[in-house]
Amino acid sequence: MARVEFEHVEKIYAEGTHAVVDCSLQIADGELMVFVGPSGCGKSTLLRLIAGLEPVTSGTLRIGERVVNDLAPQERNVAMVFQDYALYPFMSVRRNLEFPLKMRKLSRDETRRRVEWAAGLLDIAQVLDRLPKQLSGGQRQRVAMGRALVREPSVFLLDEPLSNLDAKLRVQVRAEIGQLQHRMGTTMIYVTHDQVEAMTLGDRVTVLQQGRLQQVAPPRELYDRPANVFVAGFIGNPPMNLFPTRVAVERDHTTMTIGDQAVGIRVSAAARDLVARATRLTAGVRPEAFQLAAGAAADGPVRATIEHVEYLGHETLAYVRIGNVGSSAALRLVARVPGMHEFARGAALPLSIDPAQVHLFDEAGRALPA
Ligand code: ADP
């Protein structure tokens, strides 16, 4: 087991792409860390740097206590599971599992012990004599995991390991991977573009955009306190409503504009000065921070018009407009309401907003102190 540490790591590919920009990050021993972000944000590159499949351009990369910048992949004691599993098609499952151990010249007994241990752990003992093509997608995925497990690495690297599975199996295997990691306690770094996978699996999640770390935090914190507009919009489905706003701070009362209307909000003492000085703020309101409002109140409710409705059974998503069609202040937002509601398109929907659940971001997109 080992921790992994990036210190001001940069990666610039030969033809000039700056794939990783000043990355400083510590992954604890035994932690399950997820790297998440849109395609091309640099998450696979980070994984390949750890595996030693790509050299770092500058900075320091440590695994355990060792600086590994110049170590070959086989000297790093890490194992990587690839998206396409990279199984040998003409070898049985057993041979596939034995292969990395043969390369390391382990004894026959030790090889057998490890293969049987991994097969038991992954529930593939009954398919050891089959060829990869005779397996289901889920079994193939487990064999790929097994081939990494048998090496007993100090760090596991998984690059989108579920992308070839159908939606239902993905949920199942995702849970299995999480349980396996917790049972074994081996440091695991898991790359995905899927924020649901990231949120459900990670002890902590690193959100990346254009090669830069945006926020590193446990899932709950990413959701409740996104550090910037990018993270706010990336984590959560449907995404957080983000819109330009103006905030008026008065002595005992603060309001923000939402389209052509205004609602009361709370602003922390720490954010007051920043808000007063700001010229351009962005507000963030999660769909569930709206509630159906009963009657009129001093600051609201917001008068919204229903444009589209999605009935999901346990909840209803109301896609609403605030302000008149064509007006420059018109906003389109989504509200999430528990249970089933017969909302009619074009009808008025009065919504209140929980003031404690309003996020504010400055001109540079950074969250104001809560
Ligand atoms: P992600 O895994 O988040 O989709 P990658 O790490 O694969 O992103 O890519 C990050 C950036 O680096 C992208 O702009 C990509 O085109 C570029 N890139 C990735 N691999 C290479 C490579 N081998 N050579 C040159 N550029 C690369």
Side-chain angles (χ1 to χ4, degrees):
M1 293 204 285
R3 68 197 177 97
V4 176
E5 190 177 355
F6 289 84
E7 214 177 278
H8 300 298
V9 167
E10 304 267 346
K11 175 64 188 178
I12 303 172
Y13 282 108
E15 76 340 319
T17 304
H18 203 157
V20 175
V21 184
D22 192 21
C23 173
S24 290
L25 174 68
Q26 290 175 5
I27 299 154
D29 189 6
E31 183 170 34
L32 201 173
M33 171 65 90
V34 178
F35 292 162
V36 70
S39 175
C41 70
K43 46 197 191 299
S44 301
T45 298
L46 281 179
L47 213 60
R48 292 162 62 81
L49 294 177
I50 300 168
L53 302 174
E54 287 287 343
V56 307
T57 305
S58 65
T60 308
L61 179 57
R62 286 193 189 81
I63 299 177
E65 303 306 318
R66 287 192 305 172
V67 174
V68 298
N69 287 35
D70 300 320
L71 286 188
Q74 60 274 18
E75 294 173 292
R76 298 186 181 202
N77 200 23
V78 301
M80 187 143 165
V81 178
F82 293 93
Q83 201 173 99
D84 59 2
Y85 313 148
L87 300 177
Y88 300 106
F90 303 113
M91 289 186 192
S92 67
V93 169
R94 184 188 297 281
R95 294 269 174 276
N96 264 284
L97 294 176
E98 285 172 352
F99 192 76
L101 303 178
K102 286 231 169 86
M103 300 293 289
R104 295 169 150 213
K105 305 198 168 38
L106 248 66
S107 72
R108 279 174 74 113
D109 280 354
E110 179 61 11
T111 299
R112 182 173 310 139
R113 183 192 72 74
R114 289 197 190 186
V115 167
E116 280 168 11
W117 166 75
L121 210 56
L122 293 162
D123 199 21
I124 47 173
Q126 68 286 7
V127 297
L128 281 174
D129 297 320
R130 292 199 199 160
L131 292 173
K133 68 174 183 208
Q134 298 170 312
L135 303 177
S136 68
Q139 287 170 327
R140 241 174 270 160
Q141 206 285 331
R142 285 190 211 149
V143 177
M145 287 285 295
R147 214 169 40 168
L149 278 181
V150 291
R151 293 174 50 190
E152 300 185 348
S154 49
V155 182
F156 269 117
L157 306 173
L158 281 77
D159 192 358
E160 304 256 4
L162 308 183
S163 50
N164 288 326
L165 305 180
D166 65 42
K168 199 170 159 203
L169 201 53
R170 219 176 306 160
V171 172
Q172 184 192 329
V173 178
R174 179 176 85 202
E176 285 172 9
I177 290 177
Q179 285 165 15
L180 188 69
Q181 194 275 339
H182 283 119
R183 249 196 338 259
M184 307 212 327
T186 309
T187 312
M188 183 182 278
I189 304 173
Y190 186 107
V191 161
T192 178
H193 66 276
D194 178 348
Q195 53 103 10
V196 176
E197 229 167 273
M199 295 292 279
T200 49
L201 207 49
D203 293 327
R204 284 192 304 159
V205 177
T206 297
V207 183
L208 287 147
Q209 186 204 19
Q210 293 181 345
R212 293 173 199 270
L213 303 191
Q214 302 295 311
Q215 189 169 3
V216 184
R220 181 78 199 266
E221 191 179 322
L222 281 186
Y223 194 83
D224 290 342
R225 290 198 299 280
N228 58 38
V229 166
F230 178 79
V231 176
F234 188 75
I235 300 289
N237 187 28
M240 184 185 281
N241 298 291
L242 293 164
F243 52 91
T245 192
R246 288 188 310 281
V247 175
V249 182
E250 279 155 34
R251 207 147 48 86
D252 54 354
H253 195 60
T254 303
T255 56
M256 76 167 184
T257 58
I258 173 165
D260 59 358
Q261 303 173 40
V263 289
I265 59 168
R266 262 183 248 149
V267 172
S268 68
R272 262 173 171 253
D273 284 352
L274 293 167
V275 166
R277 270 188 276 125
T279 51
R280 215 159 50 91
L281 289 171
T282 299
V285 179
R286 291 221 180 266
E288 63 271 24
F290 290 104
Q291 285 121 28
L292 295 184
D299 299 319
V302 177
R303 297 176 303 281
T305 307
I306 297 173
E307 293 200 321
H308 172 68
V309 185
E310 286 175 5
Y311 301 104
L312 300 176
H314 62 298
E315 64 184 20
T316 305
L317 299 178
Y319 292 83
V320 301
R321 189 187 71 243
I322 293 175
N324 296 323
V325 179
S327 137
S328 60
L331 284 181
R332 289 198 160 75
L333 306 173
V334 54
R336 164 185 266 151
V337 188
M340 288 286 275
H341 297 267
E342 291 296 329
F343 293 140
R345 199 176 294 185
L349 189 69
L351 293 169
S352 59
I353 300 176
D354 177 358
Q357 292 193 58
V358 173
H359 302 260
L360 290 173
F361 303 93
D362 67 13
E363 288 91 339
R366 288 174 306 228
L368 298 185

